[in-house]
Amino acid sequence: MNFPLNISISKLAHKVCVMGLGYIGLPTAAVLATNGFQVIGVDVNSSIIDTLNNGDIHIKEPGLRTMVQGAYKLGNLVAQSDPEQADIFFICVPTPITSAKKADLGYVIAAAEAIVPFLRPNNLVVLESTVPPGTTTNVVVPVLRRSGLTVSNGAGPTDLFVAYCPERVLPGNIIKEIIANNRIIGGVTPEAAEQAKAIYKRFVEGDLYLTDATTAELVKLSENTFRDVNIALANELADICEELGVDVWEVIQLANRHPRVNLHSPGPGVGGHCISVDPWFLIEAASEIARLIKLSREINDERPLVVVDKIKEMTKIIPDPKVVILGVAYKGNVDDVRESPAIHVIRALEKAGYRLGIVDPHVRSFPWELSGVEEAFSGADLVVLLTDHEKFRDLLPEKLGCLMRKRQLLDTRHFLDHKSWRESGFLVVQLGSGRE
Ligand code: SAJ
């Protein structure tokens, strides 16, 4: 299909191929489908395709099931293993990190290669995956050029538009944020940015800011690095406060009364597939310069071991100790365990010979066996809260304490109601508080 130059792609484009149906691709596909686009969702995992085509979803995310089912009902969404010709292609695949802390672009390259046979003049290709700076222009565009199309300014008869538009949604609030958040759109050419803007305008209520592709890649990495560095600062302050016998949580709360201060929260470490990974892409791009970023990563990566040391201290005189782990998801109210600090805590405790009772009401699949609450608390000597799931607020310390051998709580997130746990006979220790 060749569009006359003066007609925007957005006015004609209806058919979209979304490559990757994970945490970003599936919600994006569903939002597009409920906003008038005909969407082909593509994933290499055939069990995901089967699940979706059977009317179910493979991810737990508020509002997602209703939206996907609505899209299916409209007849605007199908899931399949291979792409096909479309007006627009979104690439929403993971970018894992290798053991050498380098970006693994295998999925991005494979997705770009998969669409090459289906590309036609005036198509728009948008990469949403988080990638090292320069990836769209230097890695993706050369693959797309294998189609024989040119990536240029829209004046030629064989032009392809390519843009980078990072996803910025918060797991747990994805659907709302896909629609509400401001977006940064980086075009490989200014024309590509304009074309992408016209498409995002059809389903995004936030503001759309245009720039070039490499700047947009750096914007995304800077956002998550900002958070990682600030969490590292909070974690360092927690250790300092503990050393000085001060409660870091009170310090943070009071410091944040300053109009220009926003200290983040310390905790058991930084998990998830974003903040614990993305800063490495900046370090990879400029390893000599990115000193603060690297140190912050190291500080946050060491947090699970700080938790383990605390656990050892609290159980050192107990024979054959049993520990209850409350929460294995990387943060509250999600089912995602990728890069979760809990994995490192559990691995170290297991190695040290601890008996464990692991509880997580949100997580369905985890490398270690999960127990029911009462089974986990039975005969235990210490409860360690790792994840701030709202459901944990409903635990009854008085009742659960009766099941335990010793009543101790280590709250790594300043989350539970310590007064009621203390009143039920628990010794309560908080990470980052030099006081009991
Ligand atoms: N954490 C702390 N202290 C804090 C905040 C978070 O220890 O003060 C921990 C959390 O417990 C969790 C990790 O950090 O283990 C990351 O959680 P998060 O809620 O900060 O972020 P993510 O990874 O769920 O989502 C982030 C978001 N980025 C920013 O807020 C800048 C989201 O908007 C991005 O779309 C997402 O990364 C992504 O996909 O890149």
Side-chain angles (χ1 to χ4, degrees):
M1 186 181 352
N2 241 332
F3 299 143
L5 258 182
N6 56 352
I7 296 179
S8 158
I9 187 175
S10 69
K11 304 224 172 69
L12 299 167
H14 289 294
K15 191 165 168 191
V16 180
C17 236
V18 177
M19 303 298 291
L21 295 174
Y23 282 89
I24 302 303
L26 181 59
T28 301
V31 169
L32 285 164
T34 46
N35 278 276
F37 291 90
Q38 189 66 41
V39 182
I40 314 290
V42 178
D43 204 287
V44 291
N45 184 336
S46 57
S47 81
I48 291 178
I49 304 295
D50 293 344
T51 305
L52 291 171
N53 288 332
N54 286 330
D56 204 355
I57 57 172
H58 60 292
I59 295 167
K60 228 170 151 185
E61 177 64 35
L64 183 60
R65 179 180 299 274
T66 314
M67 185 146 250
V68 170
Q69 284 171 349
Y72 265 85
K73 222 174 249 164
L74 283 170
N76 281 354
L77 177 63
V78 290
Q80 59 190 48
S81 303
D82 296 301
E84 56 182 60
Q85 268 184 36
D87 304 311
I88 308 156
F89 295 84
F90 285 91
I91 300 180
C92 307
V93 294
T95 38
I97 193 150
T98 66
S99 53
K101 306 291 185 195
K102 303 275 186 262
D104 173 358
L105 294 176
Y107 295 111
V108 171
I109 293 168
E113 285 173 344
I115 64 174
V116 163
F118 304 101
L119 292 173
R120 298 292 176 268
N122 280 303
N123 275 174
L124 169 68
V125 179
V126 184
L127 177 63
E128 287 209 359
S129 313
T130 306
V131 289
T135 301
T136 309
T137 305
N138 303 329
V139 179
V140 174
V141 166
V143 173
L144 300 178
R145 281 201 179 112
R146 291 183 207 157
S147 62
L149 299 172
T150 53
V151 177
S152 190
N153 60 4
T158 61
D159 280 347
L160 183 65
F161 300 106
V162 184
Y164 178 72
C165 180
E167 59 84 7
R168 304 169 109 187
V169 289
L170 197 71
N173 202 26
I174 290 180
I175 296 289
K176 281 192 193 138
E177 293 204 0
I178 280 184
I179 296 162
N181 285 4
N182 301 331
R183 300 296 290 252
I184 310 300
I185 301 173
V188 169
T189 58
E191 293 75 14
E194 288 292 348
Q195 297 289 3
K197 180 180 178 183
I199 298 300
Y200 279 97
K201 228 178 167 166
R202 285 169 59 175
F203 65 97
V204 170
E205 287 168 7
D207 296 330
L208 304 171
Y209 297 95
L210 303 196
T211 182
D212 63 88
T214 305
T215 301
E217 289 162 346
L218 272 153
V219 169
K220 168 70 189 189
L221 297 175
S222 305
E223 290 166 1
N224 282 356
T225 300
F226 164 86
R227 214 153 157 78
D228 198 44
V229 169
N230 277 284
I231 296 168
L233 171 63
N235 282 330
E236 189 164 284
L237 285 173
D239 287 349
I240 292 171
C241 286
E242 214 168 302
E243 182 72 19
L244 302 180
V246 175
D247 182 351
V248 74
W249 302 98
E250 190 183 354
V251 169
I252 289 172
Q253 194 196 6
L254 295 176
N256 284 350
R257 297 289 161 104
H258 186 291
R260 285 177 296 282
V261 173
N262 176 22
L263 286 171
H264 285 39
S265 303
V270 172
H273 184 61
C274 312
I275 295 183
S276 65
V277 171
D278 301 352
W280 287 112
F281 297 176
L282 279 181
I283 298 166
E284 178 180 347
S287 60
E288 297 290 310
I289 306 170
R291 290 177 300 158
L292 174 66
I293 300 172
K294 185 158 185 285
L295 184 59
S296 301
R297 269 290 68 242
E298 286 163 0
I299 289 172
N300 289 336
D301 272 354
E302 281 164 13
R303 289 309 283 175
L305 296 181
V306 173
V307 175
V308 171
D309 285 347
K310 200 80 183 154
I311 292 170
K312 286 184 176 166
E313 197 183 308
M314 292 178 76
T315 54
K316 66 180 171 217
I317 52 161
I318 301 173
D320 191 23
K322 178 177 178 187
V323 171
V324 179
I325 300 290
L326 286 183
V328 294
Y330 80 92
K331 67 175 187 177
N333 310 319
V334 302
D335 68 342
D336 193 344
V337 298
R338 287 177 299 174
E339 320 294 334
S340 177
I343 294 171
H344 303 284
V345 172
I346 292 169
R347 197 175 283 144
L349 291 178
E350 199 179 51
K351 203 167 157 214
Y354 278 80
R355 291 181 298 128
L356 299 173
I358 307 173
V359 179
D360 196 304
H362 289 271
V363 171
R364 279 179 283 188
S365 114
F366 190 60
W368 286 269
E369 197 186 332
L370 300 172
S371 324
V373 173
E374 294 195 358
E375 189 195 337
F377 275 72
S378 174
D381 303 288
L382 171 65
V383 182
V384 181
L385 179 117
L386 292 180
T387 309
D388 43 350
H389 290 315
E390 270 313 309
K391 286 185 179 162
F392 289 148
R393 291 194 197 277
D394 299 334
L395 293 174
L396 300 171
E398 181 58 54
K399 185 173 152 233
L400 295 171
C402 294
L403 303 173
M404 297 177 71
R405 183 164 64 170
K406 195 165 169 57
R407 296 183 190 198
Q408 301 193 91
L409 168 69
L410 171 60
D411 186 346
T412 67
R413 294 200 186 247
H414 186 59
F415 181 69
L416 293 172
D417 174 10
H418 299 156
K419 190 167 169 281
S420 75
W421 285 74
R422 282 201 182 98
E423 282 170 3
S424 305
F426 277 79
L427 167 75
V428 177
V429 173
Q430 287 197 81
L431 210 59
S433 173
R435 297 179 190 150
E436 272 177 15

